[in-house]
Amino acid sequence: MTGMDRRDFLRWMGVGAGVAATELGLPLRLLAAADPDQNPLAGSVARDWEKIYRDQYKYDSTFDWVCSPNDTHACRVRAYVRNGIVTRLGNTYDYQTYADIYGNKATANWNPRQCAKGYTFHRVLYGPYRLKHPIVRKGWKAWADAGFPDLTPELKSKYLFDRRGEDEFIQISWEDALRDIAKALVSIADRYSGEKGKERLLAQGYQPEMVEATGGAGTRCIKMRGGMGLLGVIGKYGMYRLNNSLAILDTIIRRVGPKDAKAGRNWSNYTWHGDQAPGHPWVHGLQASDCDFNDLRFSKLIIMDGKNLVENKLTDSHWFIECMERGAKIVVIAPEYGPPSTKADYWIPIRPQTDAALWLGVTRLMIENRWYDEAFIKAFTDFPLLVRTDTLQRLRAHEVFSGYRSSLAPDGPSMKVQGLTPEQHARLGDYVIWDEKTNAPRALTRDDVGERMAKKGFAPALAGTFKIKLVDGKEAEVATLWTLYQVHLRDYDLDTVAEITHAPKEMIRQLAQDIGAMKPVAIHQGEGINHWFHATEMNRAAYLPLMLTGNIGKPGAGCHTWAGNYKAALFQGSPWTGPGFKGWVAEDPFHPTLDPNASGKDVEAHAYTKDEEPAYWNHGDLALIVNTPKFGRRNFTGESHMPTPSKAIIFSNVNLINNAKWAYGVIKNVNPNVEMIVAIDIQMTASIEYADLALPANSWLEFEGLEIT
Ligand code: SF4
């Protein structure tokens, strides 16, 4: 090839390839090289092939749906449909158009929304694990067809109740599935009703206290769980409505009237999972303080305490990332250096379960250095309230002022807005402060806060110990809560706190200083007792630095968890709205509201069910009753929470086996005694593998009716 230039080479290649193509019978033009003497861009090139790629994105129609798994973010998603199949999912970019009933609109900053789980959801929908029709375990079906005979040890083995998971599932029609489930419910309720039913349960080895708790109603052995029901109040919590209607069955089996009817046991969701913040009600009476995540963008100091806003808040993490762009400070308190720590200005490493000590140490430093807002503390916290040092109870106004009459107004915020009843007020009483102007005690009501306090001329002393003459003529020593806290905090000097928490002293000090200097400050703590050994103390202590600095009740401030439980409050009843969602889950089955135009207020609610923690099922289907060597048989569960034997379990939208601790024990020791397990879900789960029947449910994408979340 020596002496051949590039052009000659290309010409030679073209001829050679053309000859080879002719010999192979291929069309020459495919392999003929471009003429190097011509401009290859001069002519037009066929680009039809691009259509294939463009057509991938063609769609016939779109619709919007709300993604509603248990992360509770409820993103709106747009589905693109082609030939009746959802081919892709995307953002709606229209959050700014959403309005509440008052016309308040969201901002465009909510766009875009979704995470990778949301925009690939159609793969779950059409995936191989999708449940498409009802299925039944072969052994269970044989038992049903045999007329639900008593499950002796032999029959348990014959019908594989002791080997669920190894049995085979077969397809069953909806009609047959529903008929068999209904028949089984009747059979089980009947078998365990009355004295005979109790005898059967005792013979099977259930604790007598649990058997007694059935009250002789076999329906009480039926457990239902509307899994994570606040993700779909109508559909998921509808499970409890069904359970409540078992009261009708009980009246037929035991021949009792509605007054004595007993329905099934409702299994809990959020309390079993333990994802509440138990310290929050201690501080402010609310079940849990949660903020909408757009509130993060107002914060100047964001403290993640055992919280992972990066990985766990998915679509909402951008709010705090925007804060970084706006110059806010991010602090992470966690034992491990994880994804949130990579975004932090500083990470405070901490020994697990010592967060309460850290917050008490921070509080002490702030008080010692006067890094607090005295005006806020006096006007909005209970630090100035007087406490008797002899009883350590708050001093009540009627203890000090003879013939005391409260001035709490019936149309004030406590009564009118918060719904405090006169009976509750009578139990609480009014409190007392030491008034600096008059140098004497002065009563105040729970309405006397903030501006109202100032208007009435209160001048509360923050610190001090005083002698007070009580109405019974005795003298008592009282101190402000502020002063008592100084005593409590004596144990939490910097050296001790560093020793307890293993956190570096300079970082504890830095945190105290930052909370004292910056505003607004928000502390985000990771959920509840499912994460913490000392959740109550940890929640309560974290509020103290915020109370000192007025970082409560303002945009970008506060102490929050974010388990989504706050949603429950939205569905609660009130005298002016009616029974709330109880009207749905516990509408009286003996008096259903049949008028489609009736107001929700007129719905008659009556719960014939009784709540139960699945934790007992998860613990060998046993209550905590111990035969002690010294004190005999001791019932630690108590009567109010006493479970009943679990003979039928129906649940929706929840993977019980996945939730259960020591699932092996449940599968091997507990469930063989359960006569029917029905799981309702969108796809196969471990729980379905160990169930008797599974019913396929609509996914969030497929809802056709209205749902509430
Ligand atoms: S964050 Fe993801 S999974 Fe959660 S609701 Fe939004 S899209 Fe769905």
Side-chain angles (χ1 to χ4, degrees):
M1 293 257 180
T2 46
M4 184 184 272
D5 65 14
R6 185 174 160 275
R7 278 166 190 268
D8 291 341
F9 173 73
L10 288 172
R11 237 176 242 121
W12 175 81
M13 276 293 289
V15 172
V19 171
T22 310
E23 281 170 5
L24 290 170
L26 296 173
L28 274 178
R29 63 185 168 79
L30 283 181
L31 292 174
D35 183 346
D37 293 332
Q38 282 183 14
N39 176 2
L41 301 177
S44 63
V45 181
R47 299 177 67 155
D48 291 353
W49 61 272
E50 289 182 0
K51 251 176 78 59
I52 298 169
Y53 134 84
R54 291 222 165 84
D55 278 358
Q56 287 184 80
Y57 296 92
K58 253 177 70 176
Y59 54 88
D60 305 327
S61 60
T62 65
F63 68 92
D64 294 348
W65 57 284
V66 177
C67 190
S68 196
N70 193 34
D71 69 16
T72 69
H73 293 134
C75 299
R76 193 166 285 230
V77 184
R78 182 152 299 162
Y80 295 84
V81 184
R82 188 165 174 186
N83 297 329
I85 306 286
V86 175
T87 52
R88 64 191 166 95
L89 299 167
N91 265 286
T92 57
Y93 291 104
D94 59 357
Y95 278 85
Q96 65 285 1
T97 65
Y98 302 171
D100 64 17
I101 53 172
Y102 306 108
N104 300 314
K105 286 193 172 166
T107 68
N109 299 302
W110 285 90
N111 301 307
R113 202 163 164 79
Q114 266 171 53
C115 74
K117 286 189 292 170
Y119 63 68
T120 55
F121 188 74
H122 54 313
R123 296 191 190 174
V124 173
L125 197 70
Y126 302 124
Y129 301 113
R130 187 71 206 276
L131 265 184
K132 293 185 181 141
H133 47 71
I135 51 175
V136 63
R137 189 171 66 75
K138 242 181 169 174
W140 191 89
K141 180 70 179 136
W143 178 65
D145 291 344
F148 308 103
D150 266 11
L151 282 171
T152 58
E154 296 71 40
L155 289 190
K156 256 187 216 172
S157 291
K158 179 180 173 189
Y159 296 121
L160 300 186
F161 280 85
D162 52 359
R163 294 209 331 263
R164 286 188 180 98
E166 292 173 37
D167 200 354
E168 194 185 323
F169 276 112
I170 49 173
Q171 186 169 349
I172 184 172
S173 70
W174 275 102
E175 290 73 20
D176 290 347
L178 297 180
R179 191 202 55 226
D180 283 349
I181 292 169
K183 279 180 151 181
L185 287 174
V186 173
S187 164
I188 292 166
D190 190 39
R191 193 185 340 270
Y192 297 109
S193 280
E195 289 308 311
K196 274 246 150 27
K198 283 189 189 177
E199 276 166 29
R200 283 194 179 101
L201 292 168
L202 289 171
Q204 289 175 17
Y206 289 102
Q207 292 164 318
E209 291 86 346
M210 285 176 70
V211 174
E212 209 43 52
T214 63
T219 44
R220 280 286 201 249
C221 299
I222 296 167
K223 316 289 171 77
M224 294 198 196
R225 181 173 176 198
M228 310 320 286
L230 294 173
L231 301 170
V233 170
I234 300 298
K236 277 97 190 175
Y237 269 163
M239 193 96 270
Y240 298 135
R241 186 177 170 88
L242 170 66
N243 210 12
N244 202 38
S245 71
L246 292 185
I248 299 174
L249 176 62
D250 189 39
T251 58
I252 296 165
I253 291 175
R254 292 198 298 139
R255 297 200 169 84
V256 293
K259 195 168 70 63
D260 299 313
K262 294 182 195 314
R265 301 290 299 259
N266 283 342
W267 273 1
S268 82
N269 285 282
Y270 301 93
T271 44
W272 184 37
H273 294 180
D275 53 4
Q276 317 271 14
H280 285 196
W282 285 66
V283 180
H284 44 59
L286 274 180
Q287 180 182 289
S289 170
D290 287 332
C291 64
D292 252 350
F293 260 84
N294 61 337
D295 191 60
L296 258 69
R297 62 195 342 238
F298 297 109
S299 302
K300 282 284 172 269
L301 175 61
I302 292 178
I303 302 163
M304 289 182 236
D305 182 13
K307 180 88 166 182
N308 184 341
L309 289 176
V310 173
E311 288 177 305
N312 297 350
K313 287 301 141 209
L314 304 164
T315 189
D316 281 317
S317 58
H318 72 92
W319 296 111
F320 99 84
I321 287 163
E322 280 175 34
C323 277
M324 292 161 62
E325 291 162 2
R326 292 157 174 236
K329 214 171 195 179
I330 313 281
V331 177
V332 171
I333 304 166
E336 80 290 2
Y337 184 84
S341 318
T342 64
K343 309 281 175 273
D345 288 270
Y346 54 96
W347 159 59
I348 304 184
I350 187 167
R351 200 158 67 95
Q353 66 173 311
T354 64
D355 302 61
L358 179 90
W359 289 118
L360 292 173
V362 165
T363 305
R364 173 169 159 161
L365 280 172
M366 291 175 69
I367 292 176
E368 279 174 353
N369 290 286
R370 300 189 69 82
W371 294 330
Y372 57 78
D373 178 348
E374 190 166 330
F376 179 88
I377 294 170
K378 285 183 172 180
F380 290 103
T381 74
D382 60 356
F383 278 129
L385 297 187
L386 296 176
V387 173
R388 286 176 62 153
T389 56
D390 56 348
T391 60
L392 290 181
Q393 300 287 315
R394 282 185 183 137
L395 182 69
R396 301 298 207 280
H398 66 265
E399 294 178 87
V400 192
F401 306 106
S402 172
Y404 175 75
R405 287 173 72 89
S406 175
S407 61
L408 189 73
D411 59 349
S414 294
M415 295 273 191
K416 206 166 170 209
V417 180
Q418 296 174 348
L420 186 77
T421 64
E423 295 73 39
Q424 287 168 332
H425 178 223
R427 281 178 65 192
L428 286 171
D430 289 339
Y431 301 123
V432 184
I433 51 124
W434 188 267
D435 196 292
E436 284 181 323
K437 266 197 259 167
T438 56
N439 204 25
R442 186 173 171 188
L444 82 175
T445 72
R446 62 198 304 289
D447 280 357
D448 297 327
V449 289
E451 278 178 18
R452 288 165 180 268
M453 208 179 184
K455 265 191 201 149
K456 288 190 179 175
F458 283 98
L462 190 54
T465 304
F466 312 92
K467 294 274 189 238
I468 286 201
K469 191 108 186 201
L470 302 174
V471 289
D472 62 7
K474 290 185 190 144
E475 194 178 70
E477 188 188 67
V478 293
T480 65
L481 269 168
W482 179 263
T483 293
L484 292 177
Y485 255 98
Q486 321 281 323
V487 177
H488 179 44
L489 294 173
R490 271 183 212 149
D491 292 340
Y492 294 92
D493 60 279
L494 189 53
D495 287 335
T496 307
V497 170
E499 195 188 325
I500 296 172
T501 61
H502 294 190
K505 282 188 222 173
E506 62 280 7
M507 297 188 104
I508 301 172
R509 200 177 164 75
Q510 179 72 53
L511 181 62
Q513 222 166 341
D514 282 344
I515 297 173
M518 302 177 83
K519 252 183 188 166
V521 180
I523 300 172
H524 297 274
Q525 294 188 312
E527 276 71 55
I529 51 168
N530 51 354
H531 297 176
W532 304 91
F533 288 106
H534 300 302
T536 311
E537 285 80 0
M538 187 267 307
N539 292 149
R540 293 174 66 196
Y543 264 97
L544 289 169
L546 304 178
M547 287 163 68
L548 295 184
T549 48
N551 275 300
I552 290 179
K554 295 167 187 162
C559 182
H560 311 288
T561 62
W562 216 87
N565 297 290
Y566 73 97
K567 289 181 177 183
L570 303 177
F571 305 114
Q572 278 168 8
S574 70
W576 55 92
T577 56
F581 84 137
K582 198 176 171 190
W584 169 243
V585 299
E587 180 174 8
D588 190 337
F590 299 102
H591 301 102
T593 309
L594 299 176
D595 176 3
N597 300 314
S599 161
K601 267 198 211 174
D602 301 331
V603 172
E604 223 172 295
H606 186 122
Y608 295 92
T609 50
K610 191 164 186 234
D611 292 347
E612 183 179 302
E613 287 301 323
Y616 296 108
W617 159 80
N618 189 187
H619 188 249
D621 219 12
L622 291 166
L624 189 56
I625 300 167
V626 185
N627 289 319
T628 64
K630 200 168 168 189
F631 301 104
R633 191 173 173 81
R634 298 301 292 260
N635 176 356
F636 293 98
T637 296
E639 272 181 34
S640 60
H641 287 60
M642 183 58 63
T644 46
S646 306
K647 306 308 290 180
I649 303 174
I650 308 182
F651 52 95
S652 70
N653 195 45
V654 68
N655 191 344
L656 277 188
I657 292 292
N658 187 45
N659 288 170
K661 283 87 191 162
W662 195 49
Y664 179 80
V666 167
I667 293 167
K668 269 313 207 201
N669 305 321
V670 178
N671 282 2
N673 301 318
V674 183
E675 301 181 0
M676 178 171 71
I677 302 176
V678 182
I680 304 167
D681 216 311
I682 61 172
Q683 61 177 345
M684 281 299 286
T685 63
S687 297
I688 292 180
E689 231 179 303
Y690 294 98
D692 298 314
L693 292 118
L695 304 177
N698 271 351
S699 72
W700 317 292
L701 192 150
E702 298 153 307
F703 281 161
E704 286 180 5
L706 291 176
E707 185 49 286
I708 310 168
T709 181

